[in-house]
């Protein structure tokens, strides 16, 4: 549950401008009413349902209208999951109700309170006025909750909310500060632990309990079984079944068919990392064919001319310094895989080169499907290990988690809670800042998981992330452009591509519907100063000068705004889901996605099963990989599916109708994917809307 970040005016230090209260400009003095004309109001106050959402402190309320304000006195301490209703008579004419002020009065102890919303019915409300909050109320400062109708600056020509908007954003900037994790990377929120984060961005108790209990259980099992197996060695590939996670249906299929070329190629289109493969426009310069390989050259050129030649190039890993784990050197390769697309949609490997050519050295060895089975299998395992590195660091962490964090921090720093784009985006930031802070402090930190068991740990992973920043192009975050650039638009066996395009279209229509309610012209977009600051905050500051990679510095039309917003929401939802949900399916069987390799890439094709086993992770490393994959890849009990958030940030009926249409389109897509998958040998579920989370939470 996310907070709306309203302005807090702290105690006796609060200073209001003449004629203002909480930043609201009053239009006329407030006349008193005769006793028989008392304004009668009904107020409901809703508290969050989590165990600690209530407070032992009393709450004081004020109603603020265009012509004055009324102190309603104190409420009893709010209880979790409860709505408090009170009826009051106000002897003042307040005019149109603009906001509700609230203040938590502490006694001996300060007890935080999670306020969901407040409603008011009475004179000046035109029915029941809704004041969204969805935030923790801390300390004894005054919080101002504007009525839930979204307003841009131009929607407030009398500047009733001008000062309130400015104060709110300035207050947020002191709480949501840009931090720095590693040089050359995009920016995170400031803070190295969850306690450094605003409370509104931390896990609620249910999420926190599930996360920590599941992690503790996994680590306990790892410690017990790892201790018992210290003297056990893996001697055959079959021995990796000792650490096999409880299988999903697809993981069981991987176990049975992982050696098949068809499944190897399938993963580039629909596996855990469908972001690398592309149609070849020419034969790669690094692919040096030795004399005697004229037949392969002919085959490659034939597929190239037919438009059926594809490649997966892992040059991002070239020159990365490998890890040393328990005094044992690990190894990293930077393979190139050339594949051909068959008429039946299967993508089959033609040749694998494990390392780029080096000046003054013989051409690197090329591995072919016709090679001895163990040599060909080891070459494919090396590719799978390289894909593990690129997937986890570039596709998952950087493109999924860290870019979503940039969007969320920039939004909190730039847009007031009244702004329609704030209200549109805020449901898609839930828990993102905490899960990313946890990742930086435990997963990719010094002595973290990557350092302990991954071949690119101990610094190599940071080098990969720094290199990968240059590949964060705007087009690569927009599936219609990305799939076109990679030549995948007409590849019907690329189920990721089909589903990504469809989900992008649904999000785009949702965004267009919302934008159309608040921006009636291109000029309205260009003349929205808050919107322009927000765009620049993302591109120039958070993404560290991404205008050089195609991201906009300003928004000049409704179409451009809609495209940018669609990218933001897709990144925080579908893009992350496509990189996250496949981990348990594809990495449960360790040889299909080994986290490290313990022997260097082969230099001959004289390979035995022992050579393969000795290259793979040892049993302890494999068990650690299994533990983390199981923990991260399991079904999340605390999960909100795309578009299904319960928080109501818009009070006006227009946006609610647009959201309902969005939910209906998602439900239709969900049902049709179910029907399609029932007819497929290998179902693709990672972009099925009911499985896509509404934000990056794990």
């Amino acid at each position: 549950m996310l907070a709306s970040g309203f302005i807090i005016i702290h105690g006796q230090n609060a200073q209001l401008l003449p004629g203002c209260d909480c930043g609201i400009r009053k239009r006329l003095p407030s006349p008193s009413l005769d006793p028989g004309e008392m304004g009668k109001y009904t107020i409901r106050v809703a508290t969050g349902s989590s165990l600690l959402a209530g407070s032992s402190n009393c709450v004081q309320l004020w109603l603020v209208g265009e012509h004055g304000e009324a102190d309603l006195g104190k409420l009893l301490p709010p209880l979790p999951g409860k709505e408090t209703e009170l009826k009051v008579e106000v002897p003042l004419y307040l005019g149109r109700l603009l906001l509700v002020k609230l203040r938590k009065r502490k006694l001996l102890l300060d007890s935080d309170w999670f306020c969901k919303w407040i409603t008011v019915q009475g004179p000046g409300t035109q029915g029941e006025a809704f004041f969204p909050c969805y935030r923790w109320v801390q300390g004894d400062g005054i919080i101002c909750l504007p009525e839930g109708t979204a307003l841009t600056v131009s929607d407030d020509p009398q500047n009733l909310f001008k000062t309130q908007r400015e104060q709110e954003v300035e207050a947020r900037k002191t709480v949501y500060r840009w931090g720095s994790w590693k040089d050359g990377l995009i920016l995170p929120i400031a803070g190295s632990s969850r306690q450094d984060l605003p409370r509104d961005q931390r896990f609620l108790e249910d999420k926190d309990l599930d996360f920590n209990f599941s992690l503790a259980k996994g680590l306990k099992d790892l410690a017990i079984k790892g201790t018992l197996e210290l003297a056990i060695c893996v001697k055959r590939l079959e021995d990796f079944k000792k650490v096999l996670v409880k299988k999903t249906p697809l993981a069981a299929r991987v176990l049975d068919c992982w050696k098949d070329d068809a499944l190897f190629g399938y993963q580039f289109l629909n596996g855990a990392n469908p972001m690398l493969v592309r149609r070849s426009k020419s034969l790669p310069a690094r692919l040096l064919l030795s004399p005697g390989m004229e037949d392969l050259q002919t085959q490659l050129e034939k597929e190239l001319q037919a438009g059926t030649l594809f490649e997966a190039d892992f040059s991002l890993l070239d020159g990365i310094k490998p890890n040393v784990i328990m005094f044992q050197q690990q190894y990293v390769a930077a393979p190139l895989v050339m594949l051909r697309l068959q008429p039946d949609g299967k993508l089959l490997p033609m040749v694998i080169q494990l390392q780029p050519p080096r000046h003054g050295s013989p051409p690197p060895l090329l591995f072919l499907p016709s090679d001895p089975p163990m040599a060909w299998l080891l070459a494919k395992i090396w590719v799978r290990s390289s894909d593990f590195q690129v997937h986890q660091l570039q596709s998952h962490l950087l493109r999924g988690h860290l870019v979503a964090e940039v969007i969320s921090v920039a939004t909190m720093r730039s847009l007031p809670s009244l702004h329609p784009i704030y209200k549109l985006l805020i449901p898609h930031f839930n828990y993102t800042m905490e899960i990313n802070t946890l990742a930086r402090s435990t997963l990719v930190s010094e002595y973290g998981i990557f350092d302990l068991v991954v071949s690119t740990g101990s610094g190599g992973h940071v080098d990969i992330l720094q290199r990968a920043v240059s590949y964060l192009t705007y087009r690569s975050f927009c599936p219609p452009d990305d799939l076109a650039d990679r030549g995948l638009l007409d590849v019907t066996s690329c189920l990721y591509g089909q589903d990504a395009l469809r989900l992008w279209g649904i999000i785009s229509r949702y965004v267009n519907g919302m934008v159309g309610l608040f921006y009636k012209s291109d000029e309205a977009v260009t003349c929205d100063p808050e919107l322009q600051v927000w765009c620049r905050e993302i591109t120039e500051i958070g993404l560290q000068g991404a205008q050089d990679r195609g991201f906009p510095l300003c928004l000049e039309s409704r179409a451009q705004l809609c495209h940018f917003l669609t990218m933001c929401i897709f990144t925080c939802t579908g893009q992350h889901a496509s990189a996250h949900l496949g981990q348990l399916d594809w990495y449960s069987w360790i040889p299909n996605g080994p986290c490290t390799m313990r022997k260097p890439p082969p230099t001959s094709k004289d390979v035995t099963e022992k050579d393969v086993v000795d290259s793979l992770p040892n049993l302890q490393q494999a068990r650690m990989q299994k533990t983390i994959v199981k923990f991260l890849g399991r079904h999340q009990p605390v999960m909100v599916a795309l578009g299904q958030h319960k928080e109501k940030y818009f009070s006006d009926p227009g946006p609610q109708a647009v959201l309902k249409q969005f939910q209906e389109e998602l439900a239709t897509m969900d049902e049709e994917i179910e029907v399609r998958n029932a007819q497929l040998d290998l179902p693709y579920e990672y972009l099925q809307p009911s499985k896509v989370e509404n934000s990056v939470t794990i």
Side-chain angles (χ1 to χ4, degrees), residues 353-544:
Q353 179 194 64
L354 292 182
Q355 295 284 28
R358 306 292 182 200
H359 181 70
S361 300
L365 194 62
L366 299 182
F367 292 85
L368 307 172
S370 57
D371 287 340
M374 280 297 163
W376 179 236
L377 180 63
L378 182 56
K380 289 191 293 182
I381 288 174
W382 266 103
V383 172
R384 297 301 310 134
S385 182
S386 298
D387 199 41
F388 179 96
Q389 316 299 324
V390 171
H391 166 237
Q392 295 292 9
L393 293 168
Q394 182 182 34
S395 301
H396 190 187
L397 178 60
L398 182 60
R399 295 177 56 87
H401 283 256
L402 302 187
V403 173
E405 183 177 2
V406 166
I407 297 167
S408 62
V409 175
T411 301
M412 301 305 292
R413 288 177 53 84
S414 306
L415 296 179
S417 56
L418 271 171
H419 201 286
I421 303 308
Y422 176 92
K423 292 175 180 286
L424 172 67
L425 292 178
I426 192 68
H428 303 294
F429 304 151
N430 197 22
Y431 296 151
T432 298
M433 296 182 202
E434 172 154 359
I435 197 64
N436 286 3
T437 300
L438 287 169
R440 284 188 290 270
S441 62
T442 60
L443 187 66
V444 290
S445 61
E446 188 175 9
Y447 309 118
I449 299 300
F450 261 72
D451 283 8
L452 291 175
V453 295
V454 180
S455 60
T456 54
S458 299
H461 60 304
V462 177
D463 292 340
I464 293 170
L465 288 168
Q466 290 166 334
R467 292 181 183 186
V469 168
S470 64
Y471 295 92
L472 295 180
T473 65
Y474 187 35
R475 290 180 63 88
S476 72
F477 283 89
C478 306
D481 300 324
D482 174 59
L483 292 166
D485 292 345
R486 293 197 286 135
L488 296 174
L489 284 176
D490 61 348
V491 180
T492 57
S493 55
C494 183
L495 302 177
Y496 158 78
Q498 291 183 15
D499 291 354
L501 285 174
R502 183 166 182 185
L503 188 59
W504 173 275
I506 292 173
I507 295 172
S508 179
R509 286 188 290 277
Y510 170 54
V511 166
N512 274 270
M514 288 293 192
V515 168
L517 294 173
F518 301 100
Y519 296 92
K520 302 302 182 183
S521 66
D522 292 343
E523 184 182 10
V525 172
T526 59
C527 293
D528 185 340
E530 294 169 337
L531 192 68
Q532 301 301 332
V533 168
W534 168 73
C535 178
R536 182 175 287 270
E537 186 89 8
I538 290 175
T539 297
E540 191 168 49
I541 300 176
L543 293 178
Q544 294 285 277

Side-chain angles (χ1 to χ4, degrees), residues 40-107:
K40 297 180 179 180
Y41 292 89
T42 300
I43 295 100
R44 290 189 299 138
V45 181
T47 297
S49 58
S50 62
L51 185 63
L52 301 179
S55 174
S56 60
N57 300 158
C58 293
V59 176
Q60 185 176 2
L61 296 179
W62 294 263
L63 300 181
V64 180
E66 287 182 299
H67 301 300
E69 73 173 54
D71 185 347
L72 306 184
K74 296 180 182 178
L75 299 175
L76 292 174
L79 299 176
K82 301 295 183 181
E83 293 181 18
T84 302
E85 182 176 299
L86 65 153
K87 298 180 184 294
V88 297
E89 294 183 342
V90 176
L92 301 173
Y93 175 66
L94 301 179
R96 180 166 64 96
L97 202 59
L98 300 177
L99 57 81
V100 172
K101 294 196 305 183
L102 59 88
R103 184 182 212 171
K104 184 171 58 62
R105 295 284 192 177
K106 67 178 180 180
L107 298 174

Side-chain angles (χ1 to χ4, degrees), residues 572-583:
C572 296
T573 58
Q575 188 64 62
H576 174 255
S578 69
H580 169 76
L581 291 176
Q583 295 177 97

Side-chain angles (χ1 to χ4, degrees), residues 175 177 189-199 202 437:
V175 177
R177 295 172 291 107
I189 189 170
S192 57
S193 72
R194 73 184 305 265
Q195 298 303 321
D196 297 328
L197 298 176
R199 180 156 188 189
R202 301 179 205 165
T437 300

Side-chain angles (χ1 to χ4, degrees), residues 115 250 253 292 410 514 532 590 612 658 664 667:
C115 177
L250 186 50
R253 181 64 177 273
M514 288 293 192
Q532 301 301 332
I590 302 300
V612 175
V658 173
E664 290 173 354

